[in-house]
């Protein structure tokens, strides 16, 4: 099943997400990069960096996309966040690298399931539902092989690692 992204979540969704401590803490990093990025077009870049405009934290969702699948068949909407290049945390262009963050909905908050980098040209899919509490695979595929150099791009499965309790490492080392 192909993952469906919402690149314009409603104000209610944004407010609900930043009310969760884990999401608020993680989103702060994307927000800081986005605020800095907003200074690039200014006449006096250095002055802007010293005193940048600070829109509300929820406004960072203008440059993010979210998906809310049920990753572990527990009836709760989990969360996947696509981090755009406007945050300074992802590259631009078809073959640029993007960050994607994965979370499990634990009721009052979210638990990080890891963060990873993918090509912008990757499409995301979910593996078949499993029994309650068992996590689906995250599956990716380069759309046409242009960026990966493969003539016939393959689906790449990313299973949940039950020993570590994540899909991917919790932090991306490139920052």
């Amino acid at each position: 099943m192909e993952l469906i992204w919402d690149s314009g979540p409603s104000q209610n969704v944004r407010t609900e997400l930043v009310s969760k401590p884990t999401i608020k803490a993680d989103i702060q990093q994307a927000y800081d990069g986005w605020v800095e990025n907003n200074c690039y077009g200014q006449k006096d870049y250095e002055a802007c960096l010293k005193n940048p405009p600070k829109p509300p934290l929820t406004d960072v969702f203008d440059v993010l996309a979210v998906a809310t699948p049920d990753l572990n068949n527990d009836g709760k909407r989990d969360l996947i966040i696509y981090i755009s290049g406007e945050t300074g945390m992802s590259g631009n262009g078809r073959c640029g690298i993007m960050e994607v963050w994965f979370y499990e909905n634990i009721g009052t908050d979210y638990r990080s399931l890891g963060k990873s980098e993918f090509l912008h040209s990757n499409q995301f899919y979910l593996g078949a539902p499993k029994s309650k509490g068992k996590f689906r695979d995250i599956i990716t595929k380069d759309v046409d092989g242009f960026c990966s150099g493969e003539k016939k791009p393959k689906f790449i499965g990313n299973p949940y690692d039950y020993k570590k309790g994540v899909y991917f490492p919790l932090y991306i080392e490139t920052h």
Side-chain angles (χ1 to χ4, degrees), residues 16 22 54 62 97 114 119 121 132 159-160:
E16 176 67 22
T22 299
K54 296 272 188 163
D62 288 347
I97 300 294
L119 291 171
S121 63
K132 187 173 183 170
Y160 183 79

Side-chain angles (χ1 to χ4, degrees), residues 6-14 17 61-62 64-66:
D6 180 358
S7 58
S10 70
Q11 192 60 41
N12 287 345
V13 169
R14 296 168 187 228
L17 288 174
F61 284 96
D62 288 347
L64 306 178
V66 298

Side-chain angles (χ1 to χ4, degrees), residues 44-116:
D44 191 349
Y45 174 71
E46 295 298 326
C48 182
L49 283 180
K50 290 178 184 168
N51 190 23
K54 296 272 188 163
L57 181 62
T58 55
D59 283 5
V60 75
F61 284 96
D62 288 347
V63 296
L64 306 178
V66 298
T68 57
D70 184 354
L71 294 173
N72 60 346
N73 201 27
D74 66 355
K76 296 179 194 162
R77 306 309 293 173
D78 299 307
L79 179 65
I80 302 173
I81 302 176
Y82 165 97
I83 309 297
S84 81
E86 294 176 56
T87 62
M89 299 172 69
S90 291
N92 291 314
R94 181 176 176 191
C95 296
I97 300 294
M98 64 177 171
E99 287 191 19
V100 181
W101 301 347
F102 300 83
Y103 299 91
E104 176 188 11
N105 183 340
I106 56 172
T108 59
D109 198 4
Y110 286 87
R111 179 179 74 86
S112 180
L113 298 174
K115 299 175 180 181
S116 193

Side-chain angles (χ1 to χ4, degrees), residues 75-170:
K76 296 179 194 162
R77 306 309 293 173
D78 299 307
L79 179 65
I80 302 173
I81 302 176
Y82 165 97
I83 309 297
S84 81
E86 294 176 56
T87 62
M89 299 172 69
S90 291
N92 291 314
R94 181 176 176 191
C95 296
I97 300 294
M98 64 177 171
E99 287 191 19
V100 181
W101 301 347
F102 300 83
Y103 299 91
E104 176 188 11
N105 183 340
I106 56 172
T108 59
D109 198 4
Y110 286 87
R111 179 179 74 86
S112 180
L113 298 174
K115 299 175 180 181
S116 193
E117 296 175 326
F118 299 92
L119 291 171
H120 279 286
S121 63
N122 282 153
Q123 287 182 321
F124 285 78
Y125 303 87
L126 295 176
K130 299 185 178 185
S131 61
K132 187 173 183 170
K134 298 292 182 183
F135 287 86
R136 298 172 173 220
D137 291 350
I138 303 293
I139 301 168
T140 59
K141 181 182 180 187
D142 188 0
V143 176
D144 58 11
F146 179 81
C147 296
S148 65
E150 294 181 24
K151 291 187 190 278
K152 292 185 178 182
K154 297 176 177 74
F155 289 97
I156 300 170
N158 299 284
Y160 183 79
D161 185 332
Y162 287 93
K163 286 184 181 179
K164 294 180 180 175
V166 295
Y167 281 107
F168 303 101
L170 294 178

